[in-house]
Amino acid sequence: MYSIGVRKIIHVDMDAFFAAVEQRNHPEYRGKPVVVGGSPDSRGVVSTCSYEARKFGIHSAMPTKQAYKLCPQAIFVHDHHFSDYKEVSEQIREIFYDYTDLVEPLSLDEAFLDVTVNRKNNPSATRIAEEIRARIKEKTQLTASAGVSYNKFIAKIASDVHKPDGITVVPPAEAADFVAQLPIRKFWGVGEVTEKKMRSLGIHTGADLRKFELYQLIEWFGKSGPYFYNAARGIDDRPVENSRVRKSIGREITLARDIVDRIEVERILREIAGDIEKTMARYQALASTVTLKVKFHDFQCVTRSISLDHPIHRATDMVSFVDGLVTKTEVGKKPLRLLGISLSGLSGGGFDEYDPQPELPFDS
Ligand code: TTP
Ligand code: MG
């Protein structure tokens, strides 16, 4: 379906997230309009509501008072149960990381994945998205929707098309038509203000937006101009930014045959350290803890660590500390089946300036 060089991007978004968690946790809420957010005196706004409540016209950010008028019989959940939402959020992220490290969460309930290259060597992004949705349902008893395309902009909009519990695939050949028919509000980055402005300029759909030259869009929308110009043409080159903090960098080798010989063990450890040094250089990282992991033929697994006063990144330093750790194990006496080194307490590179807030575009 995709030609070589085209990226495969998935956007996954949970359905009616907070409300769905409440319905899962309270079976008596299921199949009913549920509104989350606002206080018992009807002040505040709706965080989200179940699809049953959406039929009454209730939606996120609506004053709870108005929601009450639209559907007085709805179940109003005033307390957010953030620890429950967070737990689900972590569960779904674990599933994503099973496929790739290129995961960019946008909020608790949604993320982009770049699966062009993936751990399962699965060439079909659509099949991966279906697998992920099935695994999310199995693990959390909640449904997610997915959009599959060749860039973030289209994948994000696509995940919304067949909500709830749906998937939408937009291959490159269909992108132009898909974008042309989109109401302007659906464009990622178009909030209320921009929508008003666009409508006043006679821009109501993607097709309308496409009629304008780049300089014109820059004049009207400033630095968002080029984004809109490209988006109207189905172009969005922004990469999926992996925002997971790496806590360690390491490598382990399962040996082809069990070994006892210390010299051979040292040779393998030097090889592992050499690989780790390359990764450390790529991240420009330093580490203040070195851990040795060994697994013996009887599957007994032992780890030994040392904390350092001065952080290291070179293979020779790793090897000298690991040699010390080896003497604290039965290596050389019992046959070994696995050897590994891992470095933690990372600093330098991006490790100590991690910003967990992904940048959201414009005014949405
Ligand atoms: P969304 O994914 O925007 O909404 P949703 O998951 O409730 O519904 P759906 O995706 O099926 O349309 O937001 C995820 C959660 O973020 C949502 O459950 C509640 C919270 N949220 C707010 O607290 N305030 C808001 O204005 C929005 C939009 C979401
Ligand atoms: Mg959602």
Short mmCIF file of all heavy atoms in Angstrom, two decimals, residues 203-259:
data_model
loop_
_atom_site.label_atom_id
_atom_site.label_comp_id
_atom_site.label_asym_id
_atom_site.label_seq_id
_atom_site.Cartn_x
_atom_site.Cartn_y
_atom_site.Cartn_z
N ILE A 203 -13.08 30.70 3.86
CA ILE A 203 -12.44 29.38 3.91
C ILE A 203 -13.25 28.49 4.85
O ILE A 203 -13.28 28.72 6.07
CB ILE A 203 -10.98 29.50 4.41
CG1 ILE A 203 -10.19 30.47 3.54
CG2 ILE A 203 -10.31 28.13 4.43
CD1 ILE A 203 -8.81 30.83 4.11
N HIS A 204 -13.92 27.51 4.27
CA HIS A 204 -14.76 26.62 5.09
C HIS A 204 -14.26 25.18 5.09
O HIS A 204 -14.58 24.42 5.99
CB HIS A 204 -16.21 26.65 4.58
CG HIS A 204 -16.78 28.02 4.56
ND1 HIS A 204 -17.28 28.65 5.68
CD2 HIS A 204 -16.88 28.92 3.55
CE1 HIS A 204 -17.68 29.87 5.37
NE2 HIS A 204 -17.45 30.07 4.08
N THR A 205 -13.51 24.82 4.06
CA THR A 205 -13.03 23.43 3.94
C THR A 205 -11.57 23.43 3.51
O THR A 205 -11.01 24.47 3.13
CB THR A 205 -13.81 22.68 2.84
OG1 THR A 205 -13.54 23.32 1.59
CG2 THR A 205 -15.30 22.65 3.10
N GLY A 206 -11.00 22.23 3.51
CA GLY A 206 -9.63 22.06 3.04
C GLY A 206 -9.48 22.53 1.59
O GLY A 206 -8.48 23.14 1.22
N ALA A 207 -10.50 22.25 0.79
CA ALA A 207 -10.45 22.66 -0.62
C ALA A 207 -10.37 24.18 -0.73
O ALA A 207 -9.62 24.71 -1.57
CB ALA A 207 -11.67 22.12 -1.36
N ASP A 208 -11.13 24.87 0.12
CA ASP A 208 -11.07 26.36 0.10
C ASP A 208 -9.67 26.83 0.46
O ASP A 208 -9.12 27.73 -0.17
CB ASP A 208 -12.06 26.95 1.12
CG ASP A 208 -13.50 26.63 0.77
OD1 ASP A 208 -13.79 26.42 -0.42
OD2 ASP A 208 -14.33 26.60 1.71
N LEU A 209 -9.09 26.22 1.48
CA LEU A 209 -7.77 26.63 1.97
C LEU A 209 -6.71 26.46 0.89
O LEU A 209 -5.80 27.27 0.74
CB LEU A 209 -7.42 25.79 3.20
CG LEU A 209 -6.17 26.19 4.00
CD1 LEU A 209 -6.30 27.60 4.56
CD2 LEU A 209 -5.96 25.20 5.16
N ARG A 210 -6.88 25.43 0.10
CA ARG A 210 -5.89 25.08 -0.91
C ARG A 210 -5.83 26.11 -2.05
O ARG A 210 -4.85 26.17 -2.81
CB ARG A 210 -6.22 23.69 -1.47
CG ARG A 210 -5.07 23.11 -2.21
CD ARG A 210 -5.35 21.71 -2.69
NE ARG A 210 -4.21 21.31 -3.53
CZ ARG A 210 -3.73 20.11 -3.62
NH1 ARG A 210 -4.26 19.15 -2.93
NH2 ARG A 210 -2.70 19.84 -4.42
N LYS A 211 -6.89 26.91 -2.16
CA LYS A 211 -6.93 27.88 -3.27
C LYS A 211 -5.93 29.02 -3.07
O LYS A 211 -5.64 29.74 -4.01
CB LYS A 211 -8.33 28.48 -3.37
CG LYS A 211 -9.38 27.54 -3.92
CD LYS A 211 -10.70 28.28 -4.03
CE LYS A 211 -11.86 27.34 -3.87
NZ LYS A 211 -12.98 27.93 -3.13
N PHE A 212 -5.44 29.20 -1.83
CA PHE A 212 -4.64 30.40 -1.56
C PHE A 212 -3.14 30.15 -1.64
O PHE A 212 -2.66 29.08 -1.28
CB PHE A 212 -5.01 30.99 -0.20
CG PHE A 212 -6.43 31.48 -0.19
CD1 PHE A 212 -7.45 30.71 0.35
CD2 PHE A 212 -6.75 32.71 -0.76
CE1 PHE A 212 -8.76 31.15 0.33
CE2 PHE A 212 -8.06 33.16 -0.78
CZ PHE A 212 -9.07 32.38 -0.24
N GLU A 213 -2.46 31.18 -2.12
CA GLU A 213 -1.00 31.11 -2.24
C GLU A 213 -0.36 31.20 -0.86
O GLU A 213 -0.95 31.76 0.07
CB GLU A 213 -0.48 32.30 -3.08
CG GLU A 213 -0.99 32.35 -4.51
CD GLU A 213 -0.38 31.26 -5.38
OE1 GLU A 213 0.64 30.66 -4.95
OE2 GLU A 213 -0.92 31.00 -6.47
N LEU A 214 0.88 30.73 -0.79
CA LEU A 214 1.60 30.74 0.48
C LEU A 214 1.72 32.14 1.07
O LEU A 214 1.44 32.37 2.25
CB LEU A 214 2.99 30.12 0.28
CG LEU A 214 3.92 30.11 1.49
CD1 LEU A 214 3.31 29.32 2.65
CD2 LEU A 214 5.28 29.50 1.13
N TYR A 215 2.10 33.11 0.22
CA TYR A 215 2.31 34.47 0.75
C TYR A 215 1.02 35.02 1.35
O TYR A 215 1.03 35.74 2.35
CB TYR A 215 2.87 35.40 -0.35
CG TYR A 215 1.82 35.91 -1.32
CD1 TYR A 215 1.13 37.10 -1.04
CD2 TYR A 215 1.50 35.20 -2.47
CE1 TYR A 215 0.15 37.56 -1.90
CE2 TYR A 215 0.53 35.64 -3.33
CZ TYR A 215 -0.16 36.82 -3.05
OH TYR A 215 -1.14 37.26 -3.89
N GLN A 216 -0.10 34.65 0.76
CA GLN A 216 -1.40 35.12 1.25
C GLN A 216 -1.70 34.55 2.63
O GLN A 216 -2.13 35.25 3.55
CB GLN A 216 -2.48 34.70 0.25
CG GLN A 216 -3.86 35.22 0.59
CD GLN A 216 -3.95 36.73 0.50
OE1 GLN A 216 -4.07 37.26 -0.60
NE2 GLN A 216 -3.90 37.41 1.62
N LEU A 217 -1.43 33.25 2.78
CA LEU A 217 -1.69 32.60 4.07
C LEU A 217 -0.75 33.12 5.14
O LEU A 217 -1.14 33.26 6.31
CB LEU A 217 -1.58 31.07 3.93
CG LEU A 217 -2.65 30.42 3.04
CD1 LEU A 217 -2.43 28.92 2.93
CD2 LEU A 217 -4.06 30.68 3.57
N ILE A 218 0.49 33.46 4.75
CA ILE A 218 1.44 34.02 5.72
C ILE A 218 0.95 35.41 6.15
O ILE A 218 0.99 35.75 7.34
CB ILE A 218 2.87 34.09 5.13
CG1 ILE A 218 3.43 32.67 4.98
CG2 ILE A 218 3.79 34.92 6.04
CD1 ILE A 218 4.77 32.58 4.29
N GLU A 219 0.43 36.15 5.20
CA GLU A 219 -0.08 37.48 5.53
C GLU A 219 -1.23 37.38 6.54
O GLU A 219 -1.31 38.16 7.48
CB GLU A 219 -0.55 38.16 4.25
CG GLU A 219 -0.73 39.65 4.37
CD GLU A 219 -1.19 40.24 3.04
OE1 GLU A 219 -0.53 39.95 2.01
OE2 GLU A 219 -2.20 40.96 3.03
N TRP A 220 -2.09 36.39 6.33
CA TRP A 220 -3.25 36.26 7.23
C TRP A 220 -2.92 35.56 8.55
O TRP A 220 -3.45 35.92 9.59
CB TRP A 220 -4.36 35.46 6.52
CG TRP A 220 -5.07 36.21 5.45
CD1 TRP A 220 -5.26 37.56 5.37
CD2 TRP A 220 -5.69 35.64 4.29
NE1 TRP A 220 -5.96 37.88 4.23
CE2 TRP A 220 -6.25 36.72 3.54
CE3 TRP A 220 -5.85 34.34 3.79
CZ2 TRP A 220 -6.94 36.54 2.35
CZ3 TRP A 220 -6.53 34.16 2.61
CH2 TRP A 220 -7.07 35.25 1.90
N PHE A 221 -2.09 34.51 8.47
CA PHE A 221 -1.91 33.67 9.66
C PHE A 221 -0.49 33.65 10.21
O PHE A 221 -0.18 32.83 11.07
CB PHE A 221 -2.38 32.24 9.36
CG PHE A 221 -3.80 32.17 8.89
CD1 PHE A 221 -4.10 31.92 7.56
CD2 PHE A 221 -4.85 32.40 9.78
CE1 PHE A 221 -5.40 31.89 7.12
CE2 PHE A 221 -6.16 32.37 9.35
CZ PHE A 221 -6.45 32.12 8.01
N GLY A 222 0.35 34.54 9.70
CA GLY A 222 1.71 34.65 10.23
C GLY A 222 2.48 33.35 10.10
O GLY A 222 2.43 32.70 9.06
N LYS A 223 3.11 32.94 11.21
CA LYS A 223 3.99 31.76 11.08
C LYS A 223 3.21 30.44 10.97
O LYS A 223 3.80 29.41 10.65
CB LYS A 223 5.04 31.72 12.18
CG LYS A 223 4.55 31.60 13.60
CD LYS A 223 5.81 31.55 14.47
CE LYS A 223 5.67 31.45 15.92
NZ LYS A 223 4.58 31.35 16.73
N SER A 224 1.90 30.49 11.19
CA SER A 224 1.10 29.28 10.93
C SER A 224 0.78 29.14 9.44
O SER A 224 0.28 28.09 9.02
CB SER A 224 -0.21 29.33 11.71
OG SER A 224 0.05 29.44 13.08
N GLY A 225 1.04 30.21 8.67
CA GLY A 225 0.72 30.20 7.23
C GLY A 225 1.29 28.99 6.49
O GLY A 225 0.54 28.26 5.82
N PRO A 226 2.61 28.75 6.62
CA PRO A 226 3.19 27.61 5.91
C PRO A 226 2.59 26.27 6.35
O PRO A 226 2.42 25.37 5.54
CB PRO A 226 4.67 27.68 6.28
CG PRO A 226 4.91 29.10 6.64
CD PRO A 226 3.63 29.59 7.26
N TYR A 227 2.27 26.18 7.64
CA TYR A 227 1.65 24.93 8.13
C TYR A 227 0.31 24.70 7.41
O TYR A 227 0.03 23.61 6.91
CB TYR A 227 1.45 24.99 9.65
CG TYR A 227 0.51 23.92 10.16
CD1 TYR A 227 0.92 22.60 10.23
CD2 TYR A 227 -0.79 24.24 10.54
CE1 TYR A 227 0.06 21.61 10.67
CE2 TYR A 227 -1.67 23.26 10.99
CZ TYR A 227 -1.24 21.94 11.05
OH TYR A 227 -2.09 20.96 11.48
N PHE A 228 -0.52 25.74 7.34
CA PHE A 228 -1.82 25.59 6.68
C PHE A 228 -1.66 25.31 5.19
O PHE A 228 -2.40 24.52 4.61
CB PHE A 228 -2.68 26.85 6.89
CG PHE A 228 -3.18 26.98 8.30
CD1 PHE A 228 -3.12 28.20 8.98
CD2 PHE A 228 -3.73 25.89 8.96
CE1 PHE A 228 -3.58 28.31 10.28
CE2 PHE A 228 -4.20 25.99 10.26
CZ PHE A 228 -4.11 27.21 10.92
N TYR A 229 -0.68 25.98 4.57
CA TYR A 229 -0.44 25.80 3.15
C TYR A 229 -0.12 24.32 2.87
O TYR A 229 -0.70 23.70 1.98
CB TYR A 229 0.73 26.69 2.71
CG TYR A 229 1.04 26.61 1.24
CD1 TYR A 229 0.33 27.38 0.31
CD2 TYR A 229 2.06 25.77 0.77
CE1 TYR A 229 0.61 27.29 -1.05
CE2 TYR A 229 2.35 25.69 -0.58
CZ TYR A 229 1.62 26.44 -1.49
OH TYR A 229 1.91 26.36 -2.83
N ASN A 230 0.79 23.78 3.68
CA ASN A 230 1.17 22.38 3.49
C ASN A 230 0.03 21.43 3.87
O ASN A 230 -0.24 20.46 3.17
CB ASN A 230 2.41 22.05 4.34
CG ASN A 230 3.67 22.64 3.73
OD1 ASN A 230 3.80 22.71 2.50
ND2 ASN A 230 4.59 23.07 4.57
N ALA A 231 -0.61 21.73 5.00
CA ALA A 231 -1.68 20.84 5.48
C ALA A 231 -2.76 20.70 4.41
O ALA A 231 -3.27 19.59 4.16
CB ALA A 231 -2.27 21.39 6.77
N ALA A 232 -3.11 21.80 3.73
CA ALA A 232 -4.15 21.75 2.70
C ALA A 232 -3.73 20.83 1.55
O ALA A 232 -4.56 20.35 0.79
CB ALA A 232 -4.41 23.15 2.17
N ARG A 233 -2.43 20.58 1.44
CA ARG A 233 -1.91 19.69 0.40
C ARG A 233 -1.57 18.31 0.96
O ARG A 233 -0.90 17.51 0.29
CB ARG A 233 -0.66 20.33 -0.24
CG ARG A 233 -1.06 21.46 -1.16
CD ARG A 233 0.04 22.47 -1.40
NE ARG A 233 -0.49 23.53 -2.25
CZ ARG A 233 -1.30 24.51 -1.83
NH1 ARG A 233 -1.63 24.58 -0.55
NH2 ARG A 233 -1.78 25.40 -2.66
N GLY A 234 -1.97 18.07 2.20
CA GLY A 234 -1.69 16.76 2.81
C GLY A 234 -0.24 16.57 3.18
O GLY A 234 0.23 15.45 3.35
N ILE A 235 0.50 17.69 3.32
CA ILE A 235 1.93 17.60 3.64
C ILE A 235 2.16 17.99 5.10
O ILE A 235 1.67 19.04 5.55
CB ILE A 235 2.77 18.54 2.74
CG1 ILE A 235 2.60 18.14 1.26
CG2 ILE A 235 4.25 18.52 3.14
CD1 ILE A 235 3.14 19.18 0.28
N ASP A 236 2.88 17.16 5.83
CA ASP A 236 3.25 17.47 7.21
C ASP A 236 4.49 16.62 7.54
O ASP A 236 4.38 15.42 7.73
CB ASP A 236 2.10 17.13 8.16
CG ASP A 236 2.48 17.31 9.62
OD1 ASP A 236 3.53 17.94 9.89
OD2 ASP A 236 1.74 16.81 10.49
N ASP A 237 5.64 17.27 7.55
CA ASP A 237 6.89 16.52 7.73
C ASP A 237 7.34 16.42 9.18
O ASP A 237 8.43 15.92 9.45
CB ASP A 237 8.03 17.16 6.90
CG ASP A 237 7.79 16.96 5.42
OD1 ASP A 237 7.15 15.94 5.07
OD2 ASP A 237 8.20 17.82 4.62
N ARG A 238 6.53 16.91 10.10
CA ARG A 238 6.98 16.87 11.49
C ARG A 238 7.22 15.43 11.94
O ARG A 238 6.37 14.56 11.73
CB ARG A 238 5.94 17.51 12.41
CG ARG A 238 5.87 19.03 12.29
CD ARG A 238 4.71 19.58 13.08
NE ARG A 238 3.44 19.02 12.58
CZ ARG A 238 2.28 19.27 13.13
NH1 ARG A 238 2.18 20.03 14.19
NH2 ARG A 238 1.18 18.74 12.62
N PRO A 239 8.36 15.18 12.57
CA PRO A 239 8.62 13.81 13.03
C PRO A 239 7.83 13.48 14.29
O PRO A 239 7.40 14.38 15.01
CB PRO A 239 10.12 13.84 13.33
CG PRO A 239 10.43 15.25 13.67
CD PRO A 239 9.46 16.11 12.89
N VAL A 240 7.62 12.20 14.52
CA VAL A 240 7.08 11.75 15.79
C VAL A 240 8.22 11.82 16.79
O VAL A 240 9.27 11.20 16.59
CB VAL A 240 6.54 10.30 15.68
CG1 VAL A 240 6.13 9.77 17.05
CG2 VAL A 240 5.36 10.26 14.71
N GLU A 241 8.05 12.65 17.81
CA GLU A 241 9.15 12.89 18.76
C GLU A 241 9.00 11.95 19.95
O GLU A 241 8.03 12.03 20.69
CB GLU A 241 9.11 14.33 19.28
CG GLU A 241 8.99 15.37 18.20
CD GLU A 241 10.31 16.02 17.86
OE1 GLU A 241 11.36 15.44 18.22
OE2 GLU A 241 10.27 17.10 17.25
N ASN A 242 9.99 11.11 20.11
CA ASN A 242 9.99 10.20 21.25
C ASN A 242 10.25 11.00 22.52
O ASN A 242 11.31 11.59 22.67
CB ASN A 242 11.09 9.16 21.04
CG ASN A 242 11.29 8.29 22.24
OD1 ASN A 242 10.48 8.33 23.17
ND2 ASN A 242 12.33 7.49 22.24
N SER A 243 9.27 11.01 23.42
CA SER A 243 9.46 11.83 24.62
C SER A 243 9.67 10.99 25.87
O SER A 243 9.59 11.49 26.97
CB SER A 243 8.29 12.78 24.79
OG SER A 243 7.11 12.05 24.75
N ARG A 244 9.92 9.71 25.69
CA ARG A 244 10.14 8.88 26.87
C ARG A 244 11.54 9.16 27.43
O ARG A 244 12.51 9.25 26.69
CB ARG A 244 10.05 7.40 26.50
CG ARG A 244 10.33 6.51 27.70
CD ARG A 244 9.63 5.21 27.64
NE ARG A 244 10.22 4.29 26.69
CZ ARG A 244 10.01 2.96 26.75
NH1 ARG A 244 9.22 2.46 27.66
NH2 ARG A 244 10.56 2.18 25.87
N VAL A 245 11.60 9.29 28.73
CA VAL A 245 12.93 9.47 29.33
C VAL A 245 13.57 8.11 29.43
O VAL A 245 12.99 7.21 30.00
CB VAL A 245 12.84 10.00 30.79
CG1 VAL A 245 14.03 10.85 31.13
CG2 VAL A 245 11.53 10.63 31.09
N ARG A 246 14.74 7.99 28.89
CA ARG A 246 15.46 6.73 29.03
C ARG A 246 16.09 6.72 30.40
O ARG A 246 16.77 7.65 30.79
CB ARG A 246 16.55 6.64 27.97
CG ARG A 246 16.05 6.10 26.67
CD ARG A 246 17.21 5.80 25.79
NE ARG A 246 17.72 4.47 26.07
CZ ARG A 246 17.92 3.57 25.12
NH1 ARG A 246 17.66 3.85 23.88
NH2 ARG A 246 18.39 2.39 25.42
N LYS A 247 15.84 5.65 31.14
CA LYS A 247 16.41 5.60 32.49
C LYS A 247 17.75 4.87 32.47
O LYS A 247 18.55 5.05 33.35
CB LYS A 247 15.43 4.88 33.41
CG LYS A 247 14.13 5.67 33.61
CD LYS A 247 13.66 5.54 35.05
CE LYS A 247 12.55 6.50 35.37
NZ LYS A 247 11.33 6.25 34.61
N SER A 248 17.95 4.06 31.44
CA SER A 248 19.22 3.34 31.38
C SER A 248 19.59 3.05 29.94
O SER A 248 18.74 3.09 29.05
CB SER A 248 19.11 2.03 32.16
OG SER A 248 18.18 1.19 31.53
N ILE A 249 20.85 2.79 29.74
CA ILE A 249 21.33 2.37 28.43
C ILE A 249 22.12 1.10 28.66
O ILE A 249 23.04 1.09 29.50
CB ILE A 249 22.22 3.47 27.79
CG1 ILE A 249 21.34 4.66 27.40
CG2 ILE A 249 22.96 2.91 26.57
CD1 ILE A 249 22.11 5.85 26.85
N GLY A 250 21.74 0.04 27.98
CA GLY A 250 22.43 -1.21 28.26
C GLY A 250 22.29 -2.20 27.13
O GLY A 250 21.63 -1.94 26.13
N ARG A 251 22.95 -3.32 27.34
CA ARG A 251 22.86 -4.36 26.33
C ARG A 251 23.13 -5.69 27.02
O ARG A 251 23.93 -5.77 27.94
CB ARG A 251 23.90 -4.10 25.24
CG ARG A 251 23.89 -5.15 24.20
CD ARG A 251 24.42 -4.76 22.85
NE ARG A 251 24.14 -5.90 22.01
CZ ARG A 251 25.07 -6.68 21.47
NH1 ARG A 251 26.34 -6.37 21.59
NH2 ARG A 251 24.73 -7.73 20.77
N GLU A 252 22.42 -6.73 26.58
CA GLU A 252 22.74 -8.04 27.13
C GLU A 252 22.79 -9.06 25.99
O GLU A 252 22.17 -8.87 24.95
CB GLU A 252 21.75 -8.45 28.22
CG GLU A 252 20.29 -8.33 27.86
CD GLU A 252 19.38 -8.57 29.06
OE1 GLU A 252 19.56 -7.88 30.07
OE2 GLU A 252 18.50 -9.43 28.96
N ILE A 253 23.56 -10.09 26.23
CA ILE A 253 23.73 -11.12 25.20
C ILE A 253 23.40 -12.47 25.81
O ILE A 253 23.92 -12.83 26.87
CB ILE A 253 25.20 -11.14 24.69
CG1 ILE A 253 25.50 -9.87 23.91
CG2 ILE A 253 25.44 -12.37 23.82
CD1 ILE A 253 26.93 -9.81 23.36
N THR A 254 22.51 -13.19 25.15
CA THR A 254 22.27 -14.58 25.54
C THR A 254 23.26 -15.42 24.76
O THR A 254 23.34 -15.31 23.53
CB THR A 254 20.82 -14.99 25.22
OG1 THR A 254 19.95 -14.13 25.95
CG2 THR A 254 20.54 -16.43 25.63
N LEU A 255 24.04 -16.19 25.46
CA LEU A 255 25.16 -16.89 24.82
C LEU A 255 24.67 -18.10 24.03
O LEU A 255 23.69 -18.76 24.42
CB LEU A 255 26.15 -17.32 25.89
CG LEU A 255 26.59 -16.15 26.78
CD1 LEU A 255 27.25 -16.66 28.05
CD2 LEU A 255 27.54 -15.23 26.03
N ALA A 256 25.36 -18.34 22.93
CA ALA A 256 24.98 -19.47 22.07
C ALA A 256 25.15 -20.79 22.83
O ALA A 256 24.40 -21.74 22.64
CB ALA A 256 25.83 -19.47 20.81
N ARG A 257 26.19 -20.84 23.72
CA ARG A 257 26.37 -22.03 24.58
C ARG A 257 26.83 -21.53 25.95
O ARG A 257 27.42 -20.44 26.05
CB ARG A 257 27.41 -22.98 23.97
CG ARG A 257 28.70 -22.28 23.70
CD ARG A 257 29.75 -23.14 23.06
NE ARG A 257 30.89 -22.29 22.76
CZ ARG A 257 31.81 -21.90 23.64
NH1 ARG A 257 31.75 -22.32 24.90
NH2 ARG A 257 32.80 -21.11 23.29
N ASP A 258 26.54 -22.30 26.97
CA ASP A 258 26.94 -21.88 28.33
C ASP A 258 28.45 -21.79 28.40
O ASP A 258 29.15 -22.64 27.85
CB ASP A 258 26.44 -22.91 29.36
CG ASP A 258 24.91 -22.93 29.42
OD1 ASP A 258 24.30 -22.03 28.82
OD2 ASP A 258 24.36 -23.85 30.04
N ILE A 259 28.97 -20.78 29.10
CA ILE A 259 30.43 -20.67 29.24
C ILE A 259 30.84 -20.51 30.71
O ILE A 259 30.10 -19.96 31.51
CB ILE A 259 31.03 -19.50 28.42
CG1 ILE A 259 30.39 -18.17 28.80
CG2 ILE A 259 30.92 -19.74 26.93
CD1 ILE A 259 31.16 -16.98 28.25
#
